[in-house]
Amino acid sequence: LDLMLFPGSQGAQPVDAETTRLLHFLLAIVGLVLLIACVNLATLMLARGASRQRELAVRRALGGGRGRIVRLMLTESLVLAIVGTLAGLLLASSTRGLLSGLLTASLGAGSMGDLEMDVLLDPVVVMGSILLGGGATVLFGLLPALRLSSVDPAEWLRHRPGAGSSASRLTLGRALISLQIVVSVPLVVSAMLFLRTVANLGAVELGFDPTGVVAFKVDPGFTQLPAEEYSDLYRGLITRLDEIPEVRSVTLMENVLMSGIVSNGSATVDGESFMLYRNAVGPQLIETIGMRLLDGRMPGLQDGPGAPRVGVVNETAVTTLFDGRGAIGRVIRAGGVDVEVVGIVNDTPYRSRRAGVPPTLYESALQRSGYGGHNVVLRVDGPTASLEPVIRSAVAEVNRDVPVPEIRSQSALMAQTSAKERVFTQLLSVFGGFALLLASIGLHGVTSYSVTRRTGEIGVRVALGARP
């Protein structure tokens, strides 16, 4: 017996380690965007301050001390900090619902069930945002304040404006712009790479047809039936649901393909151990899911309790367990029982698109009915919403004590397993685009100021024949 201890100061944390790393990575990206915004602010304030050099020189000439000039510019920065922080908090509050929906859809599915994730603005976060926003604005406003207040008024007033001082060239401003581009371009490139990843996931060969396939979970444990009668319940459900005109075929599956849930364990073939993935399936699997039977037969209604245990394997299992040949009639010992291989089906992803195709054994669900609930999988014609009342009524006719949870489409289950990649790509694209926009604004500001300062020089060049 292994005992594992977890910190309880934050309560139960069902979010897995992969999701935690993802959230930390997003936090780091937010920090990079904040850094770009701060650098952009410093650049724009340098340009704005440089345009006020004549005003600042006059103030110094009339007796204004350097400390007073710095306080003046810091006061302006503080006003920007207050306005910007309040606007940021208002934006965060107004987008809470959107962020909560994205996180719930993409990160809320775990081993402990679907979780509703909420974005909260607690006092600690609000205070931290105020201190961070205000501190960053004041800090990055201090740099141009110190730089511009150090200009000698007598030297500046002796020269005409725009004569080409080091301040007017904004060498530091261009360096800051370069830093912004260095940080923002990798974010945009990363977003493009993640978009390519999502596109590649969408192009993965499924090996079955998810169109028109819906599923819901049935757990006989909620009824008063003994375990040995579970298979009769499943047979009755298959027969009754198959009578619905809009239902083309019905089967059972312990785990719906690409739903993020799998079963695996050690299996033995001729004394050699392998890691084998397992799934329990019912009759009409080929017709319902759209897989291909390559050899042999599928488990049927006759493969119930008391009959020899049978199953089919996928192509990867044939290669891994049987060296690519002679699988039909062989015996796999899995879960403490011997299962005879009676068929071979094509490869399909099990957990998700990104998890690949593992060696898989599909056993008869009617022979594993004592294990608990199975998913009833249907291929239907027409929208699921209109069929849901009919399906629930048919299940109640078989056994009114069987609860029918949400009926979900195969496409929705598949989308759930790739939701993290999609939402993360969306957020990364937004952050990368915003970072590039900030860098572009800063570059535009510095370049526009530089061109304005060089108006005289440009006029001379045009007069000498330079083209626009």
Side-chain angles (χ1 to χ4, degrees), residues 85 119 348 361:
T85 302
V119 178
T348 63
L361 169 67

Side-chain angles (χ1 to χ4, degrees), residues 312-367:
V312 299
V313 294
N314 63 355
E315 297 171 275
T316 301
V318 173
T319 303
T320 304
L321 278 64
F322 306 110
D323 296 326
R325 63 184 186 277
I328 302 296
R330 302 286 292 275
V331 175
I332 301 175
R333 185 164 185 82
V337 297
D338 292 333
V339 181
E340 180 185 356
V341 178
V342 296
I344 301 173
V345 295
N346 64 293
D347 282 339
T348 63
Y350 192 170
R351 182 191 299 272
S352 65
R353 280 187 170 98
R354 64 177 181 272
V357 179
T360 307
L361 169 67
Y362 299 93
E363 305 169 65
S364 173
L366 300 179
Q367 294 177 328

Side-chain angles (χ1 to χ4, degrees), residues 339-459:
V339 181
E340 180 185 356
V341 178
V342 296
I344 301 173
V345 295
N346 64 293
D347 282 339
T348 63
Y350 192 170
R351 182 191 299 272
S352 65
R353 280 187 170 98
R354 64 177 181 272
V357 179
T360 307
L361 169 67
Y362 299 93
E363 305 169 65
S364 173
L366 300 179
Q367 294 177 328
R368 293 183 59 188
S369 56
Y371 279 61
H374 289 311
N375 293 280
V376 178
V377 184
L378 309 91
R379 178 171 290 278
V380 300
D381 295 322
T384 306
S386 61
L387 287 176
E388 188 167 341
V390 181
I391 293 174
R392 292 182 182 274
S393 176
V395 173
E397 292 178 16
V398 178
N399 191 314
R400 66 179 61 187
D401 295 329
V402 175
V404 179
E406 180 184 6
I407 300 177
R408 305 183 65 182
S409 67
Q410 176 74 61
S411 299
L413 293 171
M414 292 165 51
Q416 179 68 58
T417 59
S418 60
K420 290 181 182 179
E421 287 83 357
R422 293 199 315 273
V423 172
F424 179 71
T425 300
Q426 293 171 1
L427 292 176
L428 186 58
S429 300
V430 170
F431 287 133
F434 187 64
L436 194 59
L437 175 63
L438 287 176
S440 301
I441 292 173
L443 180 61
H444 173 74
V446 172
T447 305
S448 298
Y449 173 75
S450 177
V451 171
T452 302
R453 300 282 289 181
R454 297 175 61 188
T455 301
E457 172 198 341
I458 294 174

Side-chain angles (χ1 to χ4, degrees), residues 76-97:
E76 297 175 355
S77 299
L78 185 60
V79 173
L80 289 176
I82 295 174
V83 174
T85 302
L86 291 178
L89 291 175
L90 179 62
L91 178 63
S93 178
S94 61
T95 56
R96 282 182 57 238

